[in-house]
Amino acid sequence: MTRTAQRPLLFLDVDGVLIPFGATSRPHPMYETGPGTPGTGANPLLARVNPRHGPRLAALPCELVWATTWMEDAHAWIAPRIGLPPLPVVHWPEPSDADGTDGREDQDERDGLHWKTRALVARAAGRPFVWVDDEITDTDRAWVALHHPGPALLHRVDPRRGLADCDYTAVGAWLRGVAGDA
């Protein structure tokens, strides 16, 4: 196994994490980009993406993976704004069976399990991982603890501010701790 394959995964959401939203006591910061930046003018929320996230994320000792409904659009619209190369993308499962579900998704929703949780654990396949999202709950943490054999950090970001210094500190410390265990 290569060194890269052994690195923990970091599943990264976009909305609420890289694009802050929601009520705040002051307007969200806006960041200018060059005229050739994809998405300039197309989606006004993209101006909220802080370009400093790219170098900070790239410096973390992990393999970054988009875990967002933006899917491949994250390559085109988000990555260039923050200076990241194309990243692997989690492809979300489609509802199955003729009725649109196998029943598991409905039960997960009733139980409060996030719709991404099962897919991320499956994608991690036992590897250590961090999931950075603004919708993580204790239900997700408990489910992952029961169903994922490796270390996992489910880190919830406040969607009103998005990814902040305190989040980088917590995620970076966890990743260094996992690397120290190897």
Side-chain angles (χ1 to χ4, degrees), residues 33-125:
T33 59
T37 304
T40 301
N43 182 336
L45 294 178
L46 288 173
R48 294 181 183 179
V49 178
N50 183 339
R52 291 180 294 220
H53 285 308
R56 292 186 82 177
L57 289 165
L60 293 171
C62 62
E63 179 184 335
L64 298 171
V65 179
W66 292 120
T68 173
T69 56
W70 285 72
M71 296 180 68
E72 279 79 9
D73 286 343
H75 294 313
W77 296 52
I78 306 297
R81 299 182 82 78
I82 62 177
L84 289 179
L87 304 174
V89 176
V90 174
H91 290 95
W92 307 114
E94 293 291 326
S96 59
D97 297 334
D99 66 354
T101 181
D102 65 3
R104 189 172 62 193
E105 294 89 354
D106 292 338
Q107 185 63 46
D108 286 350
E109 186 175 327
R110 284 191 297 275
D111 292 343
L113 188 68
H114 195 284
W115 61 270
K116 291 180 182 178
T117 307
R118 287 180 186 270
L120 296 179
V121 168
R123 176 68 182 264

Side-chain angles (χ1 to χ4, degrees), residues 12 16-18 53 57 132 155 157-158 161-165 167-168 171:
L12 184 63
V17 175
L18 297 178
H53 285 308
L57 289 165
V132 179
H155 184 80
V157 171
D158 182 341
R161 71 163 196 271
L163 202 52
D165 290 342
D167 301 308
Y168 282 106
V171 168

